[in-house]
Amino acid sequence: MIENAANFTRTYQIKPSIFEVLAQQSLTDTLYPALQKVAIFLSAKFPEKLGFLDAYYDEAFLALSGLLQFYYLKNHGELLSLLNQRQKNRFLDGSFSENFYGLKRVLVDDEPLNHHEKELSLIFLVLMPYFKRKIEDKIQMYRIECAEGCIRNDFERRSKQIVIHSHSAFEVAWSLLALNNHLQYLAGKTEYSQPLLNLLKLKLVYSNEEPSLSFWGQVFKGNIRFSDISGGLLRNAASTVLETTAFFLQFLQTWSAQKPNFSITDLPKIEAPTPDNRARAYGGKCPLCLQTWRIPTALPVSGYIFCFRCILKHLSEAQKCPVTNLPAKSLDIVRLYPND
């Protein structure tokens, strides 16, 4: 619903509304899981050729996000200004999602960002979410290990419990800080729409410059030289695809919210793994230690059952099923509770 409200709150004031601030953040948060669905589907459908997409998705998304944010934050305005030096471009000094909603970053005194602020913004936009996801995955594994009681060393168990509680306390504190910041922004007591922008001493404003003629508009009007086409065609085609994709992501997210029992973004289901000749050899025992299961744990991608400790250790090192070599990660495992 935030995205819907953002479309009706654009005014000629400099300060963006809270709906637009939250909507651009929602768009940023949508890109990761949306592309992850595609990566999981492709890696499961073509494990031999594209299995790496699931195993190294975080790193692939880090590279893609870095290029995307670099393009919009540092180069987008400069690249298109080469097409017409006399016109200004509204896409300046902002992330991909901020540019999508017509926003940009400026200093407290309304001056444009310098090179240092752009580099800091790039770090906070790309590297921080990557490390945050890595930490959350590790914390989730600690929770599973503590819940299953598979940590034999008391010091290790207590240390991991302290890390889990510290992380939970930090998440609560950060959520309260963000809420307080949004309330102050609504009340007009701060110019910073987000805590991270407060830390960087940057604020969001509208890009109210007169929008320049787009690359494609200049092509069709004949106001472009042949030398501009070679580089501009590829850059602006990619930009158009990304912005159109972002629009449909927001549209499909709203559609799914209105119809919770139906999701148009669902990818085709991967067929269940078929039994092979090795399944009988591992009947009733772990394929890794060849002993009776201790804390039986299934790996859905292949259907085999392992000991919890065995498969957890293997996936932390290999990230694939030890029997079928299908791509898998530690958080994919499912604890089984057989009826004895």
Side-chain angles (χ1 to χ4, degrees):
M1 299 302 293
I2 292 174
E3 296 82 359
N4 298 337
N7 294 328
F8 298 100
T9 55
R10 179 67 185 267
T11 65
Y12 289 101
Q13 63 181 351
I14 299 300
K15 180 180 177 180
S17 70
I18 189 65
F19 297 107
E20 289 165 309
V21 171
L22 296 179
Q24 66 86 18
Q25 183 60 47
S26 175
L27 175 57
T28 300
D29 297 338
T30 302
L31 290 177
Y32 179 86
L35 295 179
Q36 188 179 35
K37 280 187 176 182
V38 178
I40 292 175
F41 172 77
L42 292 176
S43 62
K45 191 70 175 178
F46 310 102
E48 296 182 357
K49 296 181 179 180
L50 301 177
F52 68 93
L53 287 178
D54 186 27
Y56 300 101
Y57 173 72
D58 285 336
E59 287 69 26
F61 186 81
L62 173 67
L64 176 63
S65 176
L67 292 174
L68 180 66
Q69 302 298 357
F70 178 84
Y71 175 70
Y72 277 88
L73 185 64
K74 301 189 68 175
N75 290 335
H76 196 55
E78 300 171 6
L79 289 172
L80 290 185
S81 63
L82 294 176
L83 299 177
N84 195 332
Q85 296 290 347
R86 296 173 298 177
Q87 293 179 326
K88 292 183 179 180
N89 185 18
R90 66 186 179 90
F91 296 104
L92 294 169
D93 298 344
S95 67
F96 168 69
S97 59
E98 290 163 357
N99 273 282
F100 183 80
Y101 280 97
L103 308 177
K104 67 177 181 179
R105 299 183 177 202
V106 296
L107 300 178
V108 181
D109 55 1
D110 294 327
E111 291 295 322
L113 303 186
N114 56 40
H115 185 71
H116 179 65
E117 271 76 27
K118 289 183 179 182
E119 287 183 341
L120 287 178
S121 295
L122 192 62
I123 291 174
F124 276 78
L125 287 168
V126 178
L127 291 181
M128 280 195 61
Y130 171 77
F131 288 115
K132 180 177 181 292
R133 285 188 291 266
K134 287 296 184 182
I135 292 174
E136 289 175 347
D137 288 346
K138 184 63 68 174
I139 293 296
Q140 184 63 22
M141 288 308 307
Y142 288 171
R143 288 196 177 100
I144 294 175
E145 292 175 352
C146 292
E148 297 297 343
C150 61
I151 304 177
R152 300 175 182 177
N153 187 292
D154 291 339
F155 176 78
E156 181 183 359
R157 183 177 65 255
R158 291 194 185 97
S159 299
K160 290 184 176 181
Q161 288 175 344
I162 291 174
V163 172
I164 292 172
H165 295 320
S166 300
H167 178 265
S168 300
F170 176 80
E171 287 291 318
V172 172
W174 182 259
S175 299
L176 293 176
L177 178 63
L179 177 61
N180 178 67
N181 190 97
H182 289 154
L183 292 176
Q184 289 189 1
Y185 184 76
L186 278 171
K189 295 182 178 180
T190 181
E191 294 180 312
Y192 307 112
S193 55
Q194 300 172 20
L196 288 179
L197 292 180
N198 192 354
L199 182 63
L200 295 174
K201 299 305 177 184
L202 304 176
K203 62 180 182 179
L204 290 178
V205 298
Y206 287 124
S207 291
N208 283 330
E209 293 89 351
E210 191 70 24
S212 63
L213 203 59
S214 68
F215 173 81
W216 299 108
Q218 296 192 56
V219 170
F220 292 122
K221 285 183 175 294
N223 298 330
I224 189 171
R225 295 171 300 176
F226 179 78
S227 59
D228 296 327
I229 296 179
S230 57
L233 186 62
L234 180 60
R235 288 192 297 265
N236 289 276
S239 174
T240 302
V241 169
L242 287 171
E243 292 170 6
T244 304
T245 301
F247 168 78
F248 279 105
L249 281 175
Q250 295 286 39
F251 172 78
L252 294 176
Q253 188 179 37
T254 304
W255 179 283
S256 299
Q258 299 295 332
K259 296 185 177 182
N261 296 326
F262 173 75
S263 178
I264 196 172
T265 59
D266 283 345
L267 294 170
K269 301 297 183 181
I270 301 297
E271 297 180 359
T274 57
D276 52 29
N277 297 329
R278 293 167 291 186
R280 295 182 179 179
Y282 298 130
K285 56 185 178 182
C286 173
L288 289 171
C289 67
L290 301 179
Q291 303 296 322
T292 304
W293 301 312
R294 298 185 62 180
I295 312 181
T297 304
L299 193 59
V301 69
S302 62
Y304 281 92
I305 302 175
F306 307 84
C307 299
F308 178 81
R309 292 177 62 88
C310 293
I311 190 59
L312 186 63
K313 180 180 179 181
H314 174 84
L315 291 178
S316 63
E317 299 173 353
Q319 295 189 336
K320 62 181 179 180
C321 174
V323 180
T324 63
N325 290 325
L326 292 172
K329 294 187 291 187
S330 300
L331 294 179
D332 294 338
I333 58 178
V334 177
R335 172 75 159 87
L336 301 180
Y337 298 89
N339 295 324
D340 296 331

